[in-house]
Amino acid sequence: MDIRTVPAICDNYMYILADPYTHQCAVIDPVESHTLLTVIHSEGWNLTHVFITHHHLDHSGGNEFLKDNPETQNVPRYCGEHCENVTDLIVDGQIFNIGGIIVTALLTPGHTSGSMCFYAETTSGERNPAVFTGDTMFTAGCGTFLQGHGTAEQMYYSLNALGRLYPSTSVYPGHEYACNNLEFSLAVEPGNKATKIKLKDAQAATLRRPVKADVTTANFPNTPVPNPSTIGEELTYNPFLRVNERNILKHCETSDPVKALHILREQKDYFNIYKVLPRKPKTSPRKCPCCRSPSRKTDSVQMCKCCESPGKRTCC
């Protein structure tokens, strides 16, 4: 199973999934289809499937080019929700074959109501699968819950489903957000050693990442991009996958993992702008009911400074 990561636009990733034996291939989220076709031609591959994770144009924008191109107009284009220039709507659990590669569509609502992830494994049974997550899950992060299209409850279900995949499953997200996400993760769990290690790796990889793929050079197939994480790794540092963990629930001041996920997503939106966690609202000190001065708790009884004598404890 050969996977090529191709940067696009600003921080997007497109992917080519190829069977090295039959030379059949599929593309995932071809926003700049002409770039992918250049790579496919250079490798001598045959495009047989186009998979779209969701309808947003920064993932599906290349469909029109594929539809109008005589070479690719008959290649089926699949998505789990209404999307321009898609030939087929797919459902959860639908299976496709690209040579000796089995691709399973996974319905993962949350970012949009019909978001799909695509799980790929070889027919040989090797435990080196991959999952293409679009905007559902990123390195150390997850997508926003867009009003009218996704909810925290849906995202919780979807992330749990991804978290149950083989720990060795490589994760290929739709965007390069690793550094920002890991900085947020570290703010949420300052003592998480796995987060600190991954952040250093991501920062080093980002320095090597091109802004856009250069397909005009012979070295294009070796264009440096960050190594994918795995499901097993994500479970150690992705706070959105860890909402059942005690540290995360304590941080969010709740025992409900769905509510914790909602709180984390709101904090992440704030962090994206200000690079710090939002401040918690200050609570006003309790007042002594008799003299209205700040009170303190002693022996389970609230007392103010002027009412601390045993005889007056009951008044506070």
Side-chain angles (χ1 to χ4, degrees):
M1 187 163 64
D2 192 349
I3 298 174
R4 298 293 174 87
T5 302
V6 184
I9 311 178
C10 178
D11 52 32
N12 278 70
Y13 281 135
M14 308 178 290
Y15 297 99
I16 305 173
L17 173 65
D19 180 357
Y21 303 105
T22 65
H23 304 291
Q24 294 182 14
C25 75
V27 296
I28 297 94
D29 287 350
V31 61
E32 294 179 350
S33 300
H34 57 285
T35 303
L36 294 176
L37 290 180
T38 300
V39 182
I40 290 171
H41 290 156
S42 68
E43 296 292 339
W45 291 331
N46 177 33
L47 180 62
T48 60
H49 297 73
V50 176
F51 297 120
I52 312 298
T53 58
H54 60 293
H55 71 273
H56 294 159
L57 286 177
D58 62 326
H59 295 261
S60 65
N63 283 343
E64 184 175 3
F65 178 86
L66 294 173
K67 181 194 72 172
D68 295 338
N69 185 355
E71 178 188 353
T72 58
Q73 61 184 0
N74 293 324
V75 177
R77 300 176 295 278
Y78 301 99
C79 190
E81 58 192 2
H82 176 71
C83 181
E84 291 187 8
N85 301 307
V86 161
T87 61
D88 298 271
L89 291 177
I90 54 178
V91 297
D92 184 40
Q94 193 165 337
I95 295 175
F96 306 86
N97 292 95
I98 295 96
I101 302 172
I102 300 173
V103 176
T104 304
L106 305 175
L107 178 62
T108 51
H111 181 61
T112 67
S113 59
S115 288
M116 284 282 182
C117 292
F118 296 96
Y119 178 77
E121 58 185 339
T122 60
T123 54
S124 63
E126 297 176 3
R127 295 303 182 205
N128 59 342
V131 63
F132 302 90
T133 57
D135 285 0
T136 297
M137 185 171 76
F138 307 114
T139 301
C142 77
T144 56
F145 321 140
L146 296 178
Q147 186 175 9
H149 295 280
T151 66
E153 290 82 1
Q154 289 175 327
M155 185 63 80
Y156 177 74
Y157 161 83
S158 298
L159 293 177
N160 272 349
L162 293 174
R164 290 192 296 269
L165 298 176
Y166 288 111
S168 61
T169 302
S170 296
V171 178
Y172 292 89
H175 292 270
E176 178 49 53
Y177 294 155
C179 287
N180 181 267
N181 287 347
L182 287 160
E183 288 168 357
F184 171 75
S185 300
L186 198 58
V188 172
E189 288 188 287
N192 191 317
K193 294 181 180 179
T195 305
K196 295 177 182 178
I197 294 171
K198 184 64 176 180
L199 178 57
K200 289 182 179 180
D201 292 343
Q203 289 170 336
T206 299
L207 295 176
R208 303 192 303 269
R209 181 188 186 274
V211 175
K212 190 173 182 179
D214 183 3
V215 297
T216 63
T217 68
N219 291 326
F220 170 73
N222 298 317
T223 299
V225 293
N227 292 326
S229 62
T230 66
I231 291 296
E233 292 171 355
E234 291 292 331
L235 289 169
T236 67
Y237 53 65
N238 189 329
F240 300 95
L241 277 179
R242 293 169 53 78
V243 290
N244 288 297
E245 298 291 329
R246 182 181 301 176
N247 287 347
I248 301 298
L249 293 172
K250 181 178 180 181
H251 167 82
C252 296
E253 299 181 343
T254 180
S255 59
D256 181 356
V258 174
K259 185 176 180 181
L261 183 64
H262 182 78
I263 291 170
L264 283 176
R265 187 60 255 183
E266 287 187 333
Q267 291 182 347
K268 181 60 167 60
D269 293 339
Y270 184 95
F271 187 90
N272 288 344
I273 300 172
Y274 301 106
K275 304 304 179 185
V276 294
L277 293 176
R279 293 182 179 179
K280 295 180 181 180
K282 294 182 178 180
T283 57
S284 302
R286 295 189 60 176
K287 301 290 185 177
C288 173
C290 63
C291 65
R292 308 305 300 167
S293 64
S295 61
R296 64 183 182 87
K297 193 171 184 179
T298 302
D299 296 333
S300 300
V301 179
Q302 293 291 341
M303 299 187 305
C304 65
K305 293 179 180 179
C306 64
C307 300
E308 289 183 350
S309 61
K312 292 189 176 182
R313 282 188 183 184
T314 56
C315 77
C316 299

